[in-house]
Amino acid sequence: MERVWDVVIVGAGPAGLTAAIYARRAGLDTLVLERALPGGQILETPLIENFPGFPEPISGAELAERMQTQAERLGAQFVLGEARSLSSPQGSWLVDTSMGPVVGRTVVLCTGAHYKELEVPGAREFAGRGISYCAVCDGYFYKGKDVVVVGGGNSALTEALFLSKIARRVYLVVRHPQEDPKALRAAATLKEKVLADPHVEVVWNAVVHEVRGDQAVRGVLLQDLGTGELRDLPVEGIFVKIGYKPNTDWLRGIVDLTDKGYVVTDGMMRTSQPGVFAAGDLRDPEVRRAQAVVAAAEGALAALAADEYNKGLKS
C-alpha cells in the first residue's frame, strides 16, 4: 500500500477499537489491522456486567460489534491481516503484514495476549478432543456432561458459571487452599455466584497432574498439593484458564519489553520508540488490570498521544 496513514492500529480488541474511535474523532486518517474477528478476548465472554453505560448485561460479541460500528461510522477503515514485523526505514513506520506492507506516521499496538496452555501429560494430545480454552466456543458440546475448569481468576470463574448452565457438573480446580484469601483472584460478585452455584464444585489446593482418555478425554488425574494424593476424576471436558502470554514476539528488538514479553510504556502509552504506542493486554500486567474498560481507556490515551505526535510532525 502506497498510502501513508496518520495512525495504524494493530489489533481490534477493546483497546484497538477505542483507539480507532478516538483517532477518528481527532481527525486522524485511521487504519485498523486485525487478524481475526474484532473484539479480542471479550468475544469469549458471554455476559459483561461492568462496562459503563450498560445497566443490563451485554455479551462480549455485541459490545465489540457496537464499538466497531462506531469506529466505522466515524471513518476508521478495517483490514483483515496479521502483523509480522515493524520497522522505520524512512521516518514513518512500516508494518509488514500478511496482506502486504502498511505505512503509518504513528502506530498503536493493541495485539493483546493469548492463553497459556496446560502443560501436563495428555494435554497437548487431547487439544480439540476434550481440552478447550474457550467455553463460549465449545461449551455446548458438553451439554449434560461433567467438566473441569482449571484456574482461579476472573476468566476461570466466568467459564465455570457459563458451563454450569450447560454441563451436568463443573469442577473448578484451584491451586490454592480454601483458607487462602487470594485463592480465587476474581471479582467479589463472581466469587459469590460460583460458591453459591449448586452445579459448581470447587476442588481446592489441587492441580491437574495428567489428562486421560482414548479417542477423547475421559478423565483427569488431580494432585492434592497438601498431601500429594492423586485423585482420578471422570470428566469429558477440560476448560483451561490459567493466564495469558502477550502477542509480542514480532516486536522483539523493536520496542522495550519486560522479561515476560510485555510492552513497556509510560502513562500516555508511549513505547521506547517515538511514534509507537501500546494499549491493552500486551502491556505489563504489573501496572494495569485485564479489564475491557481498562483496555478501552488505554486505547483512548494511546490515540490522544498519537494525535499529539502527528501534530508535532506537521508543525
Side-chain angles (χ1 to χ4, degrees):
M1 296 182 182
E2 296 181 358
R3 182 174 180 177
V4 179
W5 300 84
D6 288 331
V7 59
V8 175
I9 299 168
V10 187
L17 292 170
T18 307
I21 291 168
Y22 272 73
R24 280 303 303 145
R25 283 181 55 82
L28 299 181
D29 203 15
T30 303
L31 178 71
V32 183
L33 179 72
E34 169 56 49
R35 66 179 179 176
L37 290 174
Q41 291 180 32
I42 65 170
L43 294 177
E44 300 178 7
T45 306
L47 290 176
I48 295 175
E49 298 181 286
N50 57 357
F51 202 89
F54 294 90
E56 298 298 325
I58 183 173
S59 72
E62 184 180 355
L63 179 59
E65 183 181 1
R66 291 190 181 197
M67 295 172 78
Q68 181 183 1
T69 299
Q70 185 176 1
E72 289 178 327
R73 179 182 63 80
L74 291 168
Q77 295 192 36
F78 285 72
V79 171
L80 182 66
E82 183 173 6
R84 293 172 173 170
S85 66
L86 180 64
S87 60
S88 181
Q90 297 177 341
S92 296
W93 287 98
L94 187 149
V95 184
D96 182 38
T97 81
S98 57
M99 300 299 291
V102 175
V103 180
R105 295 182 180 87
T106 60
V107 175
V108 177
L109 306 170
C110 303
T111 50
H114 62 279
Y115 55 77
K116 289 182 180 178
E117 295 183 4
L118 186 64
E119 296 182 357
V120 300
R124 187 159 294 180
E125 293 87 334
F126 289 104
R129 295 188 291 135
I131 295 279
S132 173
Y133 295 84
C134 175
V136 174
C137 311
D138 302 324
Y140 286 99
F141 293 115
Y142 300 91
K143 185 175 183 179
K145 300 178 180 180
D146 292 346
V147 300
V148 159
V149 174
V150 185
N154 283 317
S155 296
L157 271 63
T158 299
E159 298 266 284
L161 289 171
F162 177 79
L163 289 165
S164 72
K165 298 175 177 59
I166 301 169
R168 182 174 63 179
R169 188 152 198 81
V170 179
Y171 296 94
L172 179 65
V173 179
V174 179
R175 65 176 301 119
H176 299 284
Q178 185 173 5
E179 58 271 18
D180 184 346
K182 297 183 179 179
L184 296 177
R185 305 172 308 283
T189 53
L190 284 175
K191 294 179 189 178
E192 292 171 4
K193 289 179 180 179
V194 163
L195 296 175
D197 194 315
H199 298 287
V200 178
E201 178 181 331
V202 182
V203 183
W204 303 99
N205 207 31
V207 295
V208 174
H209 183 74
E210 182 181 348
V211 178
R212 294 178 169 179
D214 39 49
Q215 299 302 311
V217 168
R218 300 301 176 200
V220 63
L221 194 62
L222 301 180
Q223 183 176 31
D224 187 296
L225 293 176
T227 65
E229 181 181 350
L230 296 177
R231 173 188 177 187
D232 196 356
L233 186 66
V235 295
E236 295 186 53
I238 302 170
F239 294 83
V240 182
K241 288 293 179 182
I242 54 175
Y244 292 87
K245 294 181 180 180
N247 298 320
T248 58
D249 286 347
W250 66 290
L251 296 169
R252 292 192 180 277
I254 307 300
V255 298
D256 287 351
L257 305 177
T258 69
D259 292 341
K260 295 183 179 180
Y262 291 95
V263 177
V264 178
T265 77
D266 65 8
M268 282 300 292
M269 310 300 119
R270 291 180 286 241
T271 72
S272 57
Q273 291 286 358
V276 180
F277 310 87
D281 288 350
L282 82 172
R283 291 185 66 239
D284 188 353
E286 294 296 323
V287 297
R288 66 183 303 276
R289 292 294 179 267
Q291 295 288 316
V293 69
V294 173
E298 292 174 359
L301 286 173
L304 293 172
D307 179 41
E308 182 179 327
Y309 187 88
N310 269 281
K311 287 176 180 175
L313 292 177
K314 297 173 183 178
S315 62

mmCIF file of all heavy atoms in Angstrom, residues 15 58 73 96 121 128 138 151 188 192 228 254-255 292 308 314:
data_model
loop_
_atom_site.group_PDB
_atom_site.id
_atom_site.type_symbol
_atom_site.label_atom_id
_atom_site.label_comp_id
_atom_site.label_asym_id
_atom_site.label_seq_id
_atom_site.Cartn_x
_atom_site.Cartn_y
_atom_site.Cartn_z
ATOM 1 N N ALA A 15 -9.122 -2.202 23.302
ATOM 2 C CA ALA A 15 -8.118 -1.137 23.212
ATOM 3 C C ALA A 15 -8.026 -0.598 21.794
ATOM 4 O O ALA A 15 -8.068 0.622 21.565
ATOM 5 C CB ALA A 15 -6.751 -1.647 23.673
ATOM 6 N N ILE A 58 -24.379 -7.248 28.769
ATOM 7 C CA ILE A 58 -24.245 -7.290 27.319
ATOM 8 C C ILE A 58 -23.193 -8.335 26.975
ATOM 9 O O ILE A 58 -22.203 -8.497 27.693
ATOM 10 C CB ILE A 58 -23.844 -5.906 26.755
ATOM 11 C CG1 ILE A 58 -23.780 -5.942 25.220
ATOM 12 C CG2 ILE A 58 -22.537 -5.410 27.356
ATOM 13 C CD1 ILE A 58 -23.568 -4.589 24.585
ATOM 14 N N ARG A 73 -18.398 4.182 11.588
ATOM 15 C CA ARG A 73 -19.250 5.349 11.318
ATOM 16 C C ARG A 73 -18.431 6.636 11.322
ATOM 17 O O ARG A 73 -18.683 7.563 10.543
ATOM 18 C CB ARG A 73 -20.369 5.430 12.360
ATOM 19 C CG ARG A 73 -21.303 6.632 12.171
ATOM 20 C CD ARG A 73 -22.364 6.689 13.245
ATOM 21 N NE ARG A 73 -21.808 6.864 14.580
ATOM 22 C CZ ARG A 73 -21.400 8.031 15.071
ATOM 23 N NH1 ARG A 73 -21.466 9.140 14.338
ATOM 24 N NH2 ARG A 73 -20.920 8.107 16.297
ATOM 25 N N ASP A 96 4.818 -4.744 8.265
ATOM 26 C CA ASP A 96 4.740 -5.816 7.276
ATOM 27 C C ASP A 96 3.631 -6.767 7.712
ATOM 28 O O ASP A 96 3.651 -7.277 8.838
ATOM 29 C CB ASP A 96 6.070 -6.558 7.181
ATOM 30 C CG ASP A 96 6.033 -7.645 6.115
ATOM 31 O OD1 ASP A 96 5.409 -7.420 5.064
ATOM 32 O OD2 ASP A 96 6.600 -8.733 6.344
ATOM 33 N N PRO A 121 1.079 -34.172 31.031
ATOM 34 C CA PRO A 121 0.895 -35.299 30.111
ATOM 35 C C PRO A 121 -0.550 -35.428 29.640
ATOM 36 O O PRO A 121 -1.477 -35.385 30.440
ATOM 37 C CB PRO A 121 1.328 -36.505 30.965
ATOM 38 C CG PRO A 121 2.300 -35.940 31.954
ATOM 39 C CD PRO A 121 1.789 -34.561 32.270
ATOM 40 N N GLY A 128 -8.547 -30.044 21.472
ATOM 41 C CA GLY A 128 -9.615 -30.181 20.485
ATOM 42 C C GLY A 128 -10.406 -31.461 20.618
ATOM 43 O O GLY A 128 -11.403 -31.668 19.909
ATOM 44 N N ASP A 138 -16.869 -23.784 22.803
ATOM 45 C CA ASP A 138 -17.005 -25.243 22.806
ATOM 46 C C ASP A 138 -17.943 -25.805 23.862
ATOM 47 O O ASP A 138 -18.180 -27.011 23.894
ATOM 48 C CB ASP A 138 -15.616 -25.872 23.019
ATOM 49 C CG ASP A 138 -14.614 -25.441 21.961
ATOM 50 O OD1 ASP A 138 -15.031 -25.282 20.794
ATOM 51 O OD2 ASP A 138 -13.424 -25.271 22.293
ATOM 52 N N GLY A 151 -8.272 -23.040 36.967
ATOM 53 C CA GLY A 151 -7.920 -21.637 37.152
ATOM 54 C C GLY A 151 -8.720 -21.004 38.270
ATOM 55 O O GLY A 151 -9.753 -21.540 38.700
ATOM 56 N N ALA A 188 -15.485 -9.950 43.491
ATOM 57 C CA ALA A 188 -16.306 -10.478 44.585
ATOM 58 C C ALA A 188 -17.631 -11.038 44.094
ATOM 59 O O ALA A 188 -18.102 -12.074 44.580
ATOM 60 C CB ALA A 188 -16.538 -9.389 45.624
ATOM 61 N N GLU A 192 -18.985 -14.911 44.689
ATOM 62 C CA GLU A 192 -20.260 -15.204 45.336
ATOM 63 C C GLU A 192 -21.122 -16.111 44.467
ATOM 64 O O GLU A 192 -21.731 -17.080 44.959
ATOM 65 C CB GLU A 192 -21.003 -13.903 45.633
ATOM 66 C CG GLU A 192 -20.335 -13.041 46.709
ATOM 67 C CD GLU A 192 -20.965 -11.669 46.820
ATOM 68 O OE1 GLU A 192 -21.983 -11.421 46.113
ATOM 69 O OE2 GLU A 192 -20.474 -10.835 47.608
ATOM 70 N N GLY A 228 -0.215 -34.553 48.398
ATOM 71 C CA GLY A 228 0.393 -35.266 47.281
ATOM 72 C C GLY A 228 -0.492 -36.364 46.732
ATOM 73 O O GLY A 228 -0.152 -37.023 45.739
ATOM 74 N N ILE A 254 12.454 -4.326 18.758
ATOM 75 C CA ILE A 254 11.900 -3.080 18.201
ATOM 76 C C ILE A 254 11.521 -2.122 19.315
ATOM 77 O O ILE A 254 11.947 -0.972 19.347
ATOM 78 C CB ILE A 254 10.672 -3.367 17.308
ATOM 79 C CG1 ILE A 254 11.013 -4.410 16.238
ATOM 80 C CG2 ILE A 254 10.177 -2.073 16.663
ATOM 81 C CD1 ILE A 254 12.131 -3.989 15.298
ATOM 82 N N VAL A 255 10.684 -2.580 20.242
ATOM 83 C CA VAL A 255 10.310 -1.771 21.398
ATOM 84 C C VAL A 255 10.749 -2.504 22.660
ATOM 85 O O VAL A 255 10.940 -3.717 22.662
ATOM 86 C CB VAL A 255 8.790 -1.489 21.449
ATOM 87 C CG1 VAL A 255 8.349 -0.695 20.223
ATOM 88 C CG2 VAL A 255 8.002 -2.800 21.553
ATOM 89 N N ALA A 292 -11.894 -4.998 30.252
ATOM 90 C CA ALA A 292 -12.248 -4.341 28.991
ATOM 91 C C ALA A 292 -12.248 -2.826 29.137
ATOM 92 O O ALA A 292 -11.793 -2.096 28.247
ATOM 93 C CB ALA A 292 -13.611 -4.837 28.510
ATOM 94 N N GLU A 308 -1.264 13.904 19.246
ATOM 95 C CA GLU A 308 -0.285 14.905 19.655
ATOM 96 C C GLU A 308 1.017 14.741 18.867
ATOM 97 O O GLU A 308 1.617 15.711 18.427
ATOM 98 C CB GLU A 308 -0.014 14.779 21.157
ATOM 99 C CG GLU A 308 0.953 15.794 21.708
ATOM 100 C CD GLU A 308 1.154 15.625 23.204
ATOM 101 O OE1 GLU A 308 0.196 15.233 23.903
ATOM 102 O OE2 GLU A 308 2.283 15.856 23.661
ATOM 103 N N LYS A 314 3.562 17.733 11.831
ATOM 104 C CA LYS A 314 3.030 18.649 10.815
ATOM 105 C C LYS A 314 3.303 20.112 11.143
ATOM 106 O O LYS A 314 3.034 20.993 10.314
ATOM 107 C CB LYS A 314 1.530 18.422 10.668
ATOM 108 C CG LYS A 314 1.177 17.008 10.158
ATOM 109 C CD LYS A 314 -0.319 16.754 10.178
ATOM 110 C CE LYS A 314 -0.625 15.315 9.734
ATOM 111 N NZ LYS A 314 -2.084 15.035 9.790
#
